[in-house]
Amino acid sequence: MMISNGIEDEEKWLAEGIAGIQHNAFYLHRAVDSNNLREALKYSAQLLSELRTSKLSPHKYYELYMRAFDELRRLEMFFKDEDRHGCSIVDLYELVQHAGNVLPRLYLLCTVGSVYIKSKEAPAKDVLKDLVEMCRAVQNPIRGLFLRSYLAQVSRDKLPDIGSEYEGEGDTVMDAVEFVLQNFTEMNKLWVRMQHQGPVREKEKLEKERSELRDLVGKNLHVLSQIEGVDLEIYRDAVLPRVLEQIVNCKDELAQYYLMDCIIQVFPDEYHLQTLETLLGACPQLQPTVDLKTVLSQLMERLSNYAASSPELLPEFLQVEAFSKLSNAIGKVIEAQVDMPIVGAITLYVSLLSFTLRVHPDRLDYVDQVLGACVKILSGKAKLEDSKATKQVVALLSAPLDKYDDIVTALTLSNYPRVMDHLDAGTNKIMAMVIIRSIMKNKTFVSTSDKVEVLFELIKGLIKDLEGISTDDLDEEDFNEEQNSVACLMHILYNDDPEEMLKIICTVWKHIMAGGPKRLPFTVPPLVFSALKLVRRLQGQDGDVAGEEVPATPRKIFQLLNQIIESLSVVPAPELALRLYLQCAEGANDCDLEPVAYDFFTQAFVLYEEEIADSKAQVTAIHLIIGTLQRMNVFGVENRDTLTHKATGYSAKLLKKPDQCRAVYACSHLFWVDDQDGIKDGERVLLCLKRSLRIANAAQQMANVTRGSSGPVTLFVEILNKYLYYFEKGNPQITASVIQGLIDLIKTEMQSDSATGGPASDAFFTSTLRYIQFQKQKGGAMGEKYEPIKL
Amino acid sequence: MVLVLALGDLHIPHRAPDLPAKFKSMLVPGKIQHVICTGNLCTKEVHDYLKTVCPDLHITRGEYDEETRYPETKTLTIGQFKLGVCHGHQVIPWGDLDSLAMLQRQLDVDILVTGHTHQFTAYKHEAGVVINPGSATGAFSSITYDVNPSFVLMDIDGLRVVVYVYELIDGEVKVDKIDFKKTTTATA
């Protein structure tokens, strides 16, 4: 109720004030038009009396002020024209001081003063000095601020600056500076006094009103920056110390924050760089609640931009020791502001780090120093729980990653892991992911085992269970994403030198082996393939170079691989392990290491026998074994026989007959390898094919009994195709008549009542016959071969 | 003109971290009508990525795939062509053309797309064409040494298919093409 009344009343008073001004303005204009100085003074004084009100808020007072201001402009033009009013400027200056009330008197005096300076009948400095002192008579904050603002406005273009027409004799720039500084000081005092004017409960309202007036005060600093004669020396010796003195002494939070920011914005960066110590020295002396992190961030941002504008500035930064000054200042501020929350302190260091990375990117020692300072702040406190502070720490740690192309540079900062240790487990993992993402993006290899060691220490939250978190608590999708990231990371760990590469692999293994059953299925395969790639690189080499010990040999690596794949037994992941053993077997084959290859096959078979029970999984597994074995050329007769015997045995023991049939005819390829010294045992091939034929037959009969129909003849057609394969390869055991027999058999089966056929098997048979026809028509040796076969 | 992307054996993240950047920038969504994948992605992320390239995605199971429910073989008809897909670890000897021809006859398709060897091949034989798009990431293979990342784009137009193979060699993408024509239209 009271508030709305207040606003309504204010509107009413403002309207009254404006009416008053307009009323007197009417008579003022008449007086001016008739060159009546006495009348003009009388009505202008009355007009200005409206500004004596205490009832308006700053916002409304401003509106009133602007009306008065417009009138005073016209009045000034009248004053200037001595011919019209007949009064000398000196006399006029005297005359206006007879105005009754002090406020109108002073507005008039400033107006006349403006004309006085322009007339050059007195030195500018004298008039200005007189005016700025006289304004002391108005101590009410709002009225005083506007009055002095008026003074600043009218004097702006009349300062005795270098090169200005008002430049007098002697130390004129200092006179200009003195004038502005004094006006500024007085205005600030008035501004601060406003805070204590109202009741305490209206503090917020007061602050808002004060905020509206801040530019009046700040304007003075702007004017100072525009004075041509104010060079670095004058700024450093006269301007800055006085301004800072006022800022510190006023002990007002609002003023201090605004004015510090103002200084930084308004004066050139070059000056800031050269007066850094002085400027920063004021900071710890300010009120503890001043938001220095914003002020200092601004300063550092500007200085960073300044440095970026030209590389020739860098020596200057080094010479003034900008970094250490800023670093010390921040330390002092944190010390002084005891109630500053952690997030504030960290934010300050984030800004400092940003500055350092932009201005001194090559100074890793500086970067490490900033991180070290943060470690100090974080030490002695429990793990961070404040999410804002955590965010800032993540920002702090991410900055070097974004900056340096070679991620490893960031990894060498000794304080980096120490900062990470202070994050809670969840955030630690997030940070680890950020690091991995950075590395993957930059695509630079991490190329020594030392760096890999540091890296894996940093991401240890992903590699194993840290205290307080068990893998059971984790969201499955998140967990998978993390582990896949770690897996991808492994492909970026690389060195051309085999010794170093082996060291890297060992380092990684050391870290991931403790990962536990949930992690190993993700982390083991990429490591295995890394190792296999290394083996391939070493394949060409023959082992020991005379006189030197060469630790990295395929044999050694296979030993390590055995260990690594073994670890999957805790998961358990037999199917994956089987595949990896077979990959290693092929690798050993290519290195001519028969016992090693044999051992890997043994491991694979053991897994097959003991761990893989699912029938579908068995089918795939046995095919992988057969396919791999078929390609082996390192085995002697005995070993090969043992393994093929095992393979065919297991093939025949698969659960479903069709699967048995297919696996067995696949085994036929174990006895026929097409390259030069490959085995070509026609008899055993035929044995396999006949066996699979028997199985197919049995499958048919069983289907007849159990389902009433014998099912499709697909299996027979498949086997026929295999017969054709070996027929063409020249297996002497497979003759045209054998083929003919099979073709006739299939035809009979397809025509019989119990056959269900099926379009698929029909089409298959048709295309097979078509193929035979095609081969017959080829002519030459192939055509001859096929000639006896009748379709 | 129908564009069919054929790729496979990415082995992410077991053997490679990602597709080559140059390939990724070429595989813009909306330009391709069908995607055929021979298998061994291996993760769901890769599946989802391929879906963004084109929603009509056909995948067969590779022996390292996370998802065990992909089919062993798949057939589909695009225009006048019947296509068959199979990873290829099931066909022994691995990479043997004659054995693959048998699979082609069995599936009764004009174009058979298989993988497993990580080696790009495109053969024409009596029953049709066998295409192996190689490994899209250049993943390590025990069968093939020095694998270059590669994939295939088929442009099917009436009775003609142009097979473009894209290979990343020493950081540059090289393209080659092969033409195939069918003699008869697809039977119902």
Side-chain angles (χ1 to χ4, degrees), chain B residues 4-10 19 23 35-39 58 60 84-88 100 111-123 129-139 144 147-154 163-168 178:
Chain B
V4 183
L5 170 67
L7 79 174
D9 288 312
L10 295 93
L19 277 167
F23 280 2
V35 177
I36 290 177
C37 184
T38 55
H58 304 271
T60 50
V85 194
C86 177
H87 177 251
L100 289 171
I111 302 174
L112 177 65
V113 183
T114 64
H116 189 57
T117 62
H118 297 205
Q119 169 79 34
F120 163 73
T121 52
Y123 289 129
V129 177
V130 178
I131 296 176
N132 185 331
S135 162
T137 55
T144 309
V147 180
N148 285 319
S150 65
F151 69 87
V152 155
L153 205 55
M154 291 184 275
V163 177
Y164 295 93
V165 58
Y166 296 80
E167 230 183 318
L168 188 67
I178 309 167

Side-chain angles (χ1 to χ4, degrees), chain A residues 74-115:
Chain A
R74 286 166 144 176
L75 191 59
E76 185 176 343
M77 279 169 52
F78 177 55
F79 285 160
K80 206 161 43 169
D81 203 341
E82 193 177 324
D83 296 333
R84 286 173 65 186
H85 55 74
C87 190
S88 77
I89 196 65
V90 179
D91 289 339
L92 191 53
Y93 195 76
E94 177 69 26
L95 201 55
V96 295
Q97 293 187 46
H98 295 307
N101 294 308
V102 73
L103 192 67
R105 183 191 319 151
L106 288 170
Y107 271 104
L108 288 173
L109 197 60
C110 290
T111 313
V112 175
S114 171
V115 178

